[in-house]
């Protein structure tokens, strides 16, 4: 019952966001959010925001679009560095639910989904907030505890990882 309610809420929120976006004439309060599947498959939609644009609002908009919970906490950008921690309640930490369905994005496994989440939020931050070094953690622990891809160490700045799977 809870999952059904979450899906209904997600669908309603998506419709509201789409209707809001399609009816606005001004472009000055828009940002683009990105769903980064691969280097050759980057999807984007416009996101309308009120007042100040921030990482938490961008993450929430990606959540509504993808159906993944991008629950996170961040530092303020300073000295060309941002720290992002996925919270314990995020899909990144909990993993995909058995009933996850989305008409735009699908994932074979948790590693593919987690890489999508890292790529999408990193790309969105760097395009909308600031070109900077982004360091990720999950539930206060290293990303390496959750995502294991041979040859990739996720403990450093995400945008300095040299691997074709990492898109920032």
């Amino acid at each position: 019952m809870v999952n059904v309610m979450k899906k209904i809420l997600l669908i309603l929120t998506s419709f509201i966001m789409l209707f809001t976006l399609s009816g606005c004439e001004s472009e000055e309060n828009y940002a683009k959010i990105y769903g980064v599947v691969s280097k050759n498959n980057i999807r984007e939609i416009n996101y309308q925001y009120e007042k100040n644009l921030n990482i938490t609002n961008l993450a929430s908009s990606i959540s509504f679009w993808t159906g993944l919970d991008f629950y996170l906490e961040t530092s303020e950008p300073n000295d060309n560095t941002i720290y992002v921690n996925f919270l314990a309640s995020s899909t990144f930490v909990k993993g995909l639910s058995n009933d996850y369905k989305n008409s735009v994005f699908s994932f074979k496994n948790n590693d593919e989904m987690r890489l999508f989440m890292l790529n999408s939020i990193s790309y969105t931050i760097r395009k909308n907030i600031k070109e900077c070094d982004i360091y990720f953690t999950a539930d206060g622990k290293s990303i390496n505890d959750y995502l294991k891809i041979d040859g990739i160490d996720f403990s450093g700045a995400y945008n300095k990882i040299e691997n074709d799977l990492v898109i920032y």
Side-chain angles (χ1 to χ4, degrees):
M1 181 69 171
V2 172
N3 284 333
V4 171
M5 294 302 289
K6 283 175 80 175
K7 287 180 183 177
I8 291 171
L9 182 60
L10 180 64
I11 291 168
L12 287 174
T13 305
S14 296
F15 280 124
I16 290 168
M17 192 165 94
L18 287 173
F19 288 130
T20 301
L21 292 174
S22 63
C24 295
E25 296 174 15
S26 171
E27 294 267 339
E28 66 185 347
N29 285 335
Y30 282 89
K32 289 196 183 298
I33 58 170
Y34 299 90
V36 182
V37 177
S38 69
K39 199 173 269 190
N40 298 321
N41 189 357
I42 299 173
R43 299 175 186 168
E44 64 183 55
I45 64 169
N46 286 328
Y47 161 66
Q48 182 185 13
Y49 61 94
E50 296 177 19
K51 301 181 184 177
N52 295 330
L53 181 65
N54 62 49
I55 297 167
T56 304
N57 291 342
L58 290 170
S60 293
S61 66
I62 297 172
S63 290
F64 289 131
W65 184 32
T66 64
L68 302 171
D69 296 326
F70 277 75
Y71 301 141
L72 48 83
E73 57 190 1
T74 66
S75 67
E76 288 298 316
N78 65 22
D79 295 331
N80 206 36
T81 303
I82 295 176
Y83 296 92
V84 176
N85 180 53
F86 286 97
L87 299 175
S89 56
S90 70
T91 306
F92 190 95
V93 173
K94 293 188 325 187
L96 285 169
S97 65
N98 290 334
D99 62 344
Y100 173 77
K101 299 271 187 282
N102 184 282
S103 61
V104 180
F105 303 103
S106 62
F107 309 99
K108 295 179 207 161
N109 55 46
N110 283 324
D111 282 348
E112 189 175 276
M113 174 271 302
R114 287 179 174 126
L115 192 59
F116 169 83
M117 290 182 78
L118 292 169
N119 285 338
S120 296
I121 193 67
S122 175
Y123 200 88
T124 299
I125 289 169
R126 290 172 57 83
K127 292 289 186 181
N128 289 287
I129 303 291
K130 185 177 182 183
E131 287 280 337
C132 59
D133 294 339
I134 302 173
Y135 291 84
F136 287 105
T137 55
D139 197 22
K141 301 174 192 146
S142 171
I143 292 298
N144 293 323
D145 291 352
Y146 294 91
L147 183 57
K148 307 232 185 294
I149 298 176
D150 288 339
I152 303 178
D153 178 9
F154 293 99
S155 62
Y158 194 72
N159 52 295
K160 294 193 175 160
I161 297 173
E162 294 185 22
N163 188 293
D164 287 341
L165 296 174
V166 176
I167 296 108
Y168 45 83

